[in-house]
Amino acid sequence: MTSLNRSTSRRLKKLTQIPSIWEGDRRPLLSAAETTNSEAKGECILWVDGSQGIVRGMDVISPDAGPEAIVRTLMRAMENPHSPAKPARPQRIVVRDREIQFYLRGVLQDLDIAIDYVPELPLIDELFRSFAEIIDSQTPDLPPQYAQALEDKALAIWQTAPWEFIQEQQILSIEINKWDVGTLYASIMGMLGMEYGILLYRSEDSLKRFRSAVLQDGESPAHLEEAFLKQDCLFLTFEREDDFDDEDEFDDLADVDVSEVTPNFGNIHPLEGLRAVLYEEEAQVMFLALESICRFIRDHGSQLYSDEFPSLSHRYRISLPKPKESTKSVAVTISTMPELAAELEEMAEVEGAESELDGVGSTLFHSLRDDLIPEDSFLSLGVISWEMLEYLRESVNYHPVGDIEQVGDGLPVVLIQTSRPKAKTVIENLEAAGGLKAICFNPGTDPFDGDRYDLGLLQTHNGELFLFGEFLDDDPVHIGARKKWNQRCKNTKGYCGLIIAKGLTGAARGNPQLRDMMALFETRSLSPKDLGIGTFQLMPQFETE
């Protein structure tokens, strides 16, 4: 048994001992309906001065916490009690649990406090009855009769992953005409890999106003928050069950197991603000909307995967779970809105074009493009074993180059790791450029400060050169990596590869695993002489206001 330090005991004995009897207990926090048939999600420790009728200390703890927790709360009740109580030490403590009684007797034996057992604790009993009433009076996040159905439907949406092929501006109209709801306008979030979910706007005007506010260049966070709260919509969002404050500590949410994903429902209205609760009619509307989206994607998924946003419409009759009224089912019509999608896309392009005219640009090596590889990507030169190469050829987006003689320790590769959505964009852009023709390293200079660079370049089959890395010519780490690269390319007779991986913001950052690798482009390595361009010079780029 853990005991108090002697210095702690001496400090506690200096507290004034008052002629009071304190009640102490540890119980589950449950509503009245749950007290007999549910497991507690948390427990409450209470220390009450029965003589004065005041709570001196209270803590909510995990059910797994050990008996030390009740002592910690007791020490705070003595030294730092809740107002209006003052620091003091009781003459007597009563508990209704024999194990707690024996434990406290052992720990507090030097404090001259009598610790007794009683079968009932009237004051604490009354307090816990009050807690149960408060819990019972709270509005649940979802109506009980719809909670399970909505959570199941949300997870069905998650597994369908409509954001894989539907962009945020590609709006779906959902005509319900029930409970004073006409048509909802569904915007699907997630293709950018930032937040996943569905916004169900009650009007087309609210959707347009919010998108316009977000797109305006120079908006302050306060203005964006105001625009956010002026939306008129229901929402479904997803988060990781065990979230962290530091976003870099876990993978892109799309990469985690479905068992770790939690759906959140709510409502936003200009006069109500954000509310993480759905009432019955809202829950019914949300269920109909999610079910119609699931069915629509099931029936038209192949058409929605096309490059163009097609004009589609489908009418469904959807049964409500546990309806309380005579209406057992509702007819819902869901349609794509290609004209609205084009309007929203044009709005974004106009705002983007205006923002590009502001300010002064950075510098760029003349005649090189730097818009293929995202700026925050992780980059490395390395090698993959021949066994891993065979695995990648079968499991990822694979672009072969021909027969490669397996000589040496493996295939030399450039690995670029970014987020999943950005990785998809890189792969698509490489494919659109005809594929990867070569990987090159070429000298570059900065005439302004005299620095010399070793530039990593990707040459595509349409003849363009993309910059993927700028390395100082005298960087010892890069010098070592380049020597190994050159030797391995010599072993493979010039064959090498480019791997595009996801997971930049997760635990695999800087060390992507096989499951994180999304594409393999086999290609050839070119020397500066083979490239035949000479030394690149760093040139300033100025943009007009």
Side-chain angles (χ1 to χ4, degrees), residues 358-375:
D358 297 332
V360 180
S362 60
T363 55
L364 178 68
F365 287 92
H366 183 62
S367 78
L368 290 181
R369 291 185 58 178
D370 67 345
D371 56 349
L372 177 66
I373 307 303
E375 290 184 9

Side-chain angles (χ1 to χ4, degrees), residues 194-195 237-253 256 260-262 264 505:
M194 297 171 65
E195 186 171 8
T237 59
F238 297 93
E239 66 180 12
R240 190 168 181 175
E241 186 173 353
D242 297 320
D243 211 344
F244 298 93
D245 290 334
D246 186 351
E247 295 182 358
D248 288 342
E249 291 298 321
F250 53 84
D251 291 329
D252 180 354
L253 185 61
V256 306
E260 300 181 56
V261 175
T262 300
N264 297 305
T505 60

